[in-house]
């Protein structure tokens, strides 16, 4: 190669090295509804014949640990203010709901649309101050109204602690029990008040004249 040709070649090579070739633009971002529908479609495909062997062999019990794991990872991202990580972890957590709903759909129990309808209806129903003509000026009023509406929705077993999940971590379970007990007057500033309340409840239990009344007292 002649010197002049080499110089021209070198100049062109250096110039090309600085060129920026066009990169294919990513697919347009889906709307929330489209993105969720896509997730449901992907999960159904993974569980379908010819799908993923691992996903296909899972059941409700084997997936439960992943639900707890993803929940803690979401909480960790929040505590560390890792917003990019939180976006990803929320997607992982969302996947668990879709996974459970897909398995339920395969058994003819319900599908993800039923879950969405349930939470949408509940939020509207329990916020009459937003979606109806109800009134609630403070957060405390909102909570009180929420509990009142909840009690009228369907018959539930009686008892102050009914509904506290047995699978909660010990400290979370204690917090929920304490919170519910406080709504029934079991909230004190010192140990003397605790003993006063205990004696009061024992007196009411002794005064109960029927088995039903005694069971009610024991439930409290």
């Amino acid at each position: 190669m002649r010197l002049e040709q080499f110089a021209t070649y070198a100049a062109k090579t250096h110039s090309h090295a600085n060129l920026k070739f066009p990169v294919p633009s990513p697919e347009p971002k889906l709307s929330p509804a489209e993105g969720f529908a896509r997730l449901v479609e992907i999960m159904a495909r993974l569980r379908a014949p010819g799908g993923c062997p691992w996903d296909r062999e899972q059941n409700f019990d084997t997936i439960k640990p992943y639900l707890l794991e993803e929940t803690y990872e979401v909480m960790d991202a929040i505590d560390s203010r890792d917003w990019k990580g939180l976006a990803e972890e929320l997607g992982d957590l969302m996947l668990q709901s879709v996974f459970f709903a897909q398995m339920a759909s395969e058994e003819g129990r319900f599908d993800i649309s039923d879950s969405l309808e349930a939470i949408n209806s509940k939020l509207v129903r329990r916020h009459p101050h937003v979606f109806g003509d109800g009134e609630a000026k403070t957060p405390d009023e909102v909570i009180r109204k929420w509990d009142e509406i909840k009690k009228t929705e369907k018959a539930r077993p009686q008892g102050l602690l009914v509904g506290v999940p047995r699978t909660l971590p010990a400290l979370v379970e204690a917090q929920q029990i304490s919170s519910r007990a406080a709504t029934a007057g079991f909230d004190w500033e010192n140990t003397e008040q605790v003993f006063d309340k205990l004696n009061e409840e024992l007196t009411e239990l002794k005064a109960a004249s029927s088995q039903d009344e005694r069971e009610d007292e024991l439930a409290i």
Side-chain angles (χ1 to χ4, degrees), residues 45 75 85 102 104 111 126 137 147 152 158 161 189 215:
R45 178 70 182 88
M75 295 170 64
Q102 175 61 33
D111 61 27
R126 295 188 185 178
K137 302 295 186 182
D147 290 337
T152 65
Q158 297 300 309
L161 303 182
E189 297 178 355
E215 290 179 356

Side-chain angles (χ1 to χ4, degrees), residues 154-174:
K154 55 185 176 181
R156 296 177 179 270
Q158 297 300 309
L160 184 63
L161 303 182
V162 170
V164 176
R166 295 174 296 173
T167 54
L168 287 175
L171 290 178
V172 179
E173 181 182 18

Side-chain angles (χ1 to χ4, degrees), residues 27-219:
E27 294 183 4
K29 186 176 181 179
L30 299 176
S31 70
E34 293 170 334
F36 192 81
R38 177 63 175 149
L39 175 60
V40 174
E41 291 174 358
I42 291 173
M43 189 71 254
R45 178 70 182 88
L46 292 173
R47 291 277 299 178
C52 173
W54 185 89
D55 289 281
R56 283 176 53 77
E57 75 173 4
Q58 301 309 308
N59 57 52
F60 290 95
D61 293 318
T62 62
I63 290 299
K64 279 195 306 183
Y66 296 101
L67 175 62
L68 186 60
E69 176 184 331
E70 298 300 346
T71 299
Y72 281 120
E73 290 181 358
V74 165
M75 295 170 64
D76 183 66
I78 294 172
D79 290 341
S80 61
R81 295 300 189 264
D82 179 5
W83 307 121
K84 182 178 179 181
L86 178 59
E88 182 178 343
E89 296 301 343
L90 286 173
D92 292 342
L93 183 59
M94 203 176 304
L95 170 62
Q96 306 310 309
S97 298
V98 173
F99 208 142
F100 282 116
Q102 175 61 33
M103 292 187 291
S105 176
E106 293 166 2
E107 297 179 4
R109 302 181 185 280
F110 65 88
D111 61 27
I112 193 65
S113 296
D114 296 308
S115 299
L116 293 171
E117 174 62 24
I119 187 58
N120 289 340
S121 297
K122 179 184 293 185
L123 289 174
V124 172
R125 191 169 60 247
R126 295 188 185 178
H127 289 84
H129 54 288
V130 176
F131 300 103
D133 55 3
E135 290 188 7
K137 302 295 186 182
T138 67
D140 287 341
E141 290 179 0
V142 172
I143 294 174
R144 179 179 57 78
K145 194 66 178 179
W146 177 286
D147 290 337
E148 289 175 356
I149 296 172
K150 183 177 180 179
K151 291 178 182 178
T152 65
E153 288 177 347
K154 55 185 176 181
R156 296 177 179 270
Q158 297 300 309
L160 184 63
L161 303 182
V162 170
V164 176
R166 295 174 296 173
T167 54
L168 287 175
L171 290 178
V172 179
E173 181 182 18
Q175 188 276 330
Q176 285 213 12
I177 291 175
S178 176
S179 177
R180 294 193 181 202
T183 63
F186 288 77
D187 192 16
W188 312 278
E189 297 178 355
N190 54 60
T191 54
E192 290 300 323
Q193 293 177 346
V194 174
F195 283 115
D196 289 343
K197 187 63 178 179
L198 179 59
N199 289 329
E200 175 188 332
E201 295 301 329
L202 287 173
T203 299
E204 292 178 359
L205 177 61
K206 292 177 181 178
S209 59
S210 68
Q211 182 65 24
D212 288 342
E213 290 181 357
R214 285 189 287 272
E215 290 179 356
D216 288 341
E217 293 298 331
L218 288 173

